[in-house]
Amino acid sequence: MIDFFTSLSPVTQALIATLFTWGMTALGAALVFTTKAVNEKLMDGMLGFAGGVMIAASFWSLLSPALAMAENGSFPAWVPAASGFLLGAIFLWGIDKIIPHLHPGLPMKEAEGLQPATKRRSTLLVLAVTLHNIPEGLAVGIAFGAIASGSPSASLAGAVTLAIGMGIQNLPEGTAVSMPLRREGMSRRKSFLFGQFSGMVEPIAALVGVLAVTLMEPILPFALSFAAGAMIFVVAEEVIPGSQENGNKDLASMALMIGFTIMMILDVALG
C-alpha cells in the first residue's frame, strides 16, 4: 500500500490526502445523527485542540521547511518566510472582509463580509468554515508539491503527517457547522450535508497549491510560508476566540497545548 502511494504523482497524492481531510470534516458533521447538541466544554476543548494542531503544523510542516529551502537562495533565508507569512495573513484577511460569512455561535447581526444580510444563516455558516479550510488545503497541496521539487527539507512522511493533522482538526469544524443548524430546526440530513460541504474546498485548494509549486518551483519557500501565515491568521482570528467564548478558557488553552504537542511529536517523529 505504501509503495503504491509513493508511486503516485504529487497531484494524486495531494488529492487523496485532502479527500481524507474532507472525510474527517464529514465525520465531524455526522455527529448530528447521534445528538442535537454537543457539550460546550467538549466543543471548546476540540476547537482548542484544533488550534494547537494548526499552530504546530504551521511551523514544523511549513515555516521550518521554508527557511531550510531558502538558505541557498538569492535572498536571506528569512525574506521568503517573512514575506510569504504576512502575505498569507493579508490574503485571508482580505477574503474575510469580502465574502459574506457568519462564525458559528454568533447572531446574524454579527455576520461579516459584503452584504451578509442578503444571505441565509445556513449559507453564511458554511461559508465561514469553508473560507478557513482554504489555507489547510493549500498547505497540504504545497507540502506534496514540495516533494516533487526534490528539496531535502520535503518528505512524503512530513506531507502525510500534515494531512493527518489537518484531518484531526477538521473534526470539530464539521461539528461546528452541522450542530447549530440542527438546533435551529434543520433536518439531520441537511445539517450533515451543509457541515460536510465546508470541507469540499480542501481538495480544490490542494490541487491549486501542488500545481503552483510544481510549475513554479522557485516560489516554494514563499508558498509554504504563505500557507502558514493564512493558517495562523485563522487560528488567531477564529479558532482561539471561538474556543473561549463560552468561558472555558483554561480548558481550551490546555487543549491547545496538547494539540500542539501531539502534532509536533507526529511531525518530528514521522517527518
Side-chain angles (χ1 to χ4, degrees), residues 15-152:
L15 181 60
I16 293 173
T18 46
L19 287 175
F20 161 74
T21 61
W22 179 12
M24 293 294 282
T25 304
L27 183 61
L31 288 178
V32 77
F33 290 112
T34 64
T35 181
K36 197 171 183 176
V38 175
N39 182 277
E40 284 187 354
K41 287 187 176 182
L42 175 62
M43 194 64 201
D44 290 345
M46 291 171 66
L47 285 174
F49 182 88
V53 169
M54 292 176 73
I55 293 172
S58 295
F59 177 75
W60 297 103
S61 297
L62 299 171
L63 276 178
S64 182
L67 287 166
M69 292 174 188
E71 286 181 354
N72 297 321
S74 55
F75 299 103
W78 60 266
V79 171
S83 57
F85 186 81
L86 290 175
L87 284 173
I90 292 170
F91 172 74
L92 255 292
W93 174 81
I95 289 182
D96 221 38
K97 297 300 181 185
I98 295 172
I99 298 181
H101 62 283
L102 175 67
H103 298 304
L106 297 181
M108 278 292 291
K109 65 181 181 180
E110 296 191 33
E112 302 176 26
L114 300 178
Q115 298 182 331
T118 62
K119 305 292 184 181
R120 297 177 60 183
R121 180 178 177 85
S122 58
T123 303
L124 294 174
L125 284 170
V126 174
L127 284 174
V129 180
T130 300
L131 287 177
H132 297 163
N133 280 337
I134 292 175
E136 297 164 17
L138 278 174
V140 175
I142 292 168
F144 280 98
I147 300 170
S149 72
S151 170

Side-chain angles (χ1 to χ4, degrees), residues 165-203:
M166 293 300 95
I168 291 172
Q169 67 88 36
N170 273 358
L171 271 169
E173 290 187 350
T175 306
V177 176
S178 63
M179 287 301 179
L181 296 178
R182 176 59 181 157
R183 286 197 298 269
E184 292 173 10
M186 186 176 286
S187 70
R188 284 188 170 89
R189 179 175 173 274
K190 284 188 176 181
S191 299
F192 166 74
L193 290 176
F194 274 111
Q196 64 84 31
F197 181 80
S198 63
M200 189 182 296
V201 71
E202 292 197 12

